Amino acid sequence: MFTLTVAEGTLMGLGILAALIVLVVGALRAFPRAQRIVPAIVRCPLFDRAVAADLEWDEWTVRFVDVARCSVLGACASVTCNRRCIAADAPAPVSRTV
């Protein structure tokens, strides 16, 4: 019959937990988040009008996470606003097919 002391059981449990954590972290590193650029029309709260923008769509969280380009800021300009157009309380962006 196989028995474990409390210390051996604790160490075995911690070892299994450590192995699972290493596997999960390894899987997340090996398979990074899939993000793609989606052209969309958003309501800009700064200028209070509809603007064309290229948004980053995160496949894991199934939502827009960042603004890559905005027509108000120019085609090659970096986006320096606070990105309220994709915030949780903002209206949903309308995706365009290219």
Side-chain angles (χ1 to χ4, degrees):
M1 185 133 202
F2 184 70
T3 59
L4 294 174
T5 64
V6 174
E8 291 171 339
T10 303
L11 286 175
M12 187 172 80
L14 289 175
I16 292 172
L17 182 63
L20 287 175
I21 289 173
V22 166
L23 283 174
V24 169
V25 169
L28 290 176
R29 294 277 184 206
F31 305 107
R33 297 180 105 145
Q35 293 182 347
R36 60 186 169 108
I37 303 293
V38 177
I41 298 172
V42 295
R43 185 87 185 150
C44 180
L46 186 63
F47 293 103
D48 196 30
R49 64 180 175 145
V51 298
D54 289 340
L55 306 177
E56 288 187 19
W57 175 260
D58 188 2
E59 296 292 342
W60 282 25
T61 59
V62 191
R63 66 182 180 94
F64 292 106
V65 293
D66 198 12
V67 179
R69 284 177 290 284
C70 181
S71 65
V72 171
L73 301 174
C76 297
S78 61
V79 179
T80 57
C81 65
N82 59 5
R83 297 165 176 83
R84 287 190 332 211
C85 57
I86 59 171
D89 57 346
V94 178
S95 297
R96 307 180 273 157
T97 57
V98 177

